[in-house]
Short mmCIF file of all heavy atoms in Angstrom, two decimals:
data_model
loop_
_atom_site.label_atom_id
_atom_site.label_comp_id
_atom_site.label_asym_id
_atom_site.label_seq_id
_atom_site.Cartn_x
_atom_site.Cartn_y
_atom_site.Cartn_z
N SER A 49 123.05 75.03 -9.91
CA SER A 49 122.50 74.30 -11.05
C SER A 49 121.10 73.85 -10.64
O SER A 49 120.68 74.01 -9.51
CB SER A 49 123.37 73.09 -11.41
OG SER A 49 123.29 72.11 -10.39
N THR A 50 120.37 73.25 -11.56
CA THR A 50 119.01 72.82 -11.22
C THR A 50 119.03 71.81 -10.08
O THR A 50 118.13 71.80 -9.26
CB THR A 50 118.33 72.20 -12.45
OG1 THR A 50 119.20 71.24 -13.02
CG2 THR A 50 118.01 73.26 -13.46
N SER A 51 120.05 70.99 -10.01
CA SER A 51 120.11 70.01 -8.93
C SER A 51 120.42 70.67 -7.59
O SER A 51 119.98 70.21 -6.55
CB SER A 51 121.17 68.94 -9.24
OG SER A 51 122.45 69.54 -9.39
N ASP A 52 121.18 71.81 -7.65
CA ASP A 52 121.50 72.51 -6.41
C ASP A 52 120.26 73.16 -5.80
O ASP A 52 120.04 73.14 -4.60
CB ASP A 52 122.53 73.61 -6.65
CG ASP A 52 123.90 73.05 -6.97
OD1 ASP A 52 124.20 71.95 -6.49
OD2 ASP A 52 124.64 73.71 -7.71
N ILE A 53 119.45 73.77 -6.64
CA ILE A 53 118.36 74.57 -6.13
C ILE A 53 117.02 73.85 -6.14
O ILE A 53 116.02 74.38 -5.67
CB ILE A 53 118.24 75.89 -6.92
CG1 ILE A 53 118.01 75.62 -8.40
CG2 ILE A 53 119.47 76.76 -6.72
CD1 ILE A 53 117.90 76.89 -9.22
N ASN A 54 117.00 72.65 -6.71
CA ASN A 54 115.81 71.80 -6.64
C ASN A 54 114.56 72.49 -7.15
O ASN A 54 113.53 72.54 -6.48
CB ASN A 54 115.58 71.32 -5.20
CG ASN A 54 116.74 70.49 -4.69
OD1 ASN A 54 117.23 69.62 -5.40
ND2 ASN A 54 117.19 70.77 -3.48
N GLY A 55 114.62 73.04 -8.32
CA GLY A 55 113.44 73.70 -8.87
C GLY A 55 113.62 74.06 -10.32
O GLY A 55 114.71 73.96 -10.88
N ASN A 56 112.53 74.50 -10.94
CA ASN A 56 112.57 74.84 -12.35
C ASN A 56 112.85 76.32 -12.59
O ASN A 56 113.32 76.69 -13.65
CB ASN A 56 111.23 74.48 -13.01
CG ASN A 56 110.97 73.00 -12.96
OD1 ASN A 56 111.87 72.21 -13.18
ND2 ASN A 56 109.74 72.62 -12.65
N ASP A 57 112.53 77.17 -11.60
CA ASP A 57 112.67 78.60 -11.79
C ASP A 57 113.95 79.07 -11.12
O ASP A 57 114.04 79.13 -9.90
CB ASP A 57 111.46 79.33 -11.19
CG ASP A 57 111.47 80.83 -11.48
OD1 ASP A 57 112.55 81.41 -11.65
OD2 ASP A 57 110.38 81.40 -11.54
N PHE A 58 114.95 79.40 -11.92
CA PHE A 58 116.26 79.76 -11.39
C PHE A 58 116.21 80.97 -10.47
O PHE A 58 116.71 80.93 -9.37
CB PHE A 58 117.23 80.02 -12.54
CG PHE A 58 118.36 80.93 -12.17
CD1 PHE A 58 119.22 80.59 -11.14
CD2 PHE A 58 118.56 82.12 -12.82
CE1 PHE A 58 120.26 81.43 -10.78
CE2 PHE A 58 119.59 82.96 -12.48
CZ PHE A 58 120.44 82.62 -11.45
N ILE A 59 115.56 82.05 -10.90
CA ILE A 59 115.59 83.28 -10.13
C ILE A 59 114.95 83.10 -8.75
O ILE A 59 115.54 83.39 -7.73
CB ILE A 59 114.86 84.42 -10.88
CG1 ILE A 59 115.64 84.78 -12.15
CG2 ILE A 59 114.75 85.66 -9.99
CD1 ILE A 59 116.99 85.40 -11.89
N ILE A 60 113.73 82.57 -8.72
CA ILE A 60 113.02 82.42 -7.45
C ILE A 60 113.75 81.44 -6.53
O ILE A 60 113.93 81.69 -5.35
CB ILE A 60 111.57 81.96 -7.69
CG1 ILE A 60 110.78 83.08 -8.38
CG2 ILE A 60 110.89 81.58 -6.38
CD1 ILE A 60 109.37 82.70 -8.75
N ASP A 61 114.20 80.32 -7.09
CA ASP A 61 114.85 79.33 -6.25
C ASP A 61 116.23 79.78 -5.80
O ASP A 61 116.70 79.39 -4.75
CB ASP A 61 114.94 77.99 -6.98
CG ASP A 61 113.61 77.27 -7.00
OD1 ASP A 61 112.84 77.42 -6.04
OD2 ASP A 61 113.32 76.59 -7.98
N MET A 62 116.89 80.61 -6.61
CA MET A 62 118.15 81.16 -6.15
C MET A 62 117.92 82.03 -4.92
O MET A 62 118.64 81.98 -3.94
CB MET A 62 118.84 81.97 -7.23
CG MET A 62 120.26 82.40 -6.82
SD MET A 62 121.06 83.42 -8.05
CE MET A 62 120.24 84.98 -7.75
N LEU A 63 116.86 82.82 -4.94
CA LEU A 63 116.54 83.67 -3.80
C LEU A 63 116.27 82.83 -2.56
O LEU A 63 116.76 83.11 -1.47
CB LEU A 63 115.32 84.53 -4.11
CG LEU A 63 115.49 85.62 -5.17
CD1 LEU A 63 114.15 86.29 -5.43
CD2 LEU A 63 116.50 86.64 -4.73
N SER A 64 115.48 81.79 -2.72
CA SER A 64 115.12 80.98 -1.57
C SER A 64 116.31 80.20 -1.03
O SER A 64 116.32 79.78 0.11
CB SER A 64 113.99 80.01 -1.93
OG SER A 64 114.43 79.08 -2.90
#
Side-chain angles (χ1 to χ4, degrees):
S49 68
T50 50
S51 59
D52 290 331
I53 59 181
N54 298 315
N56 297 318
D57 186 332
F58 155 59
I59 294 293
I60 293 176
D61 284 327
M62 188 183 77
L63 292 175
S64 65

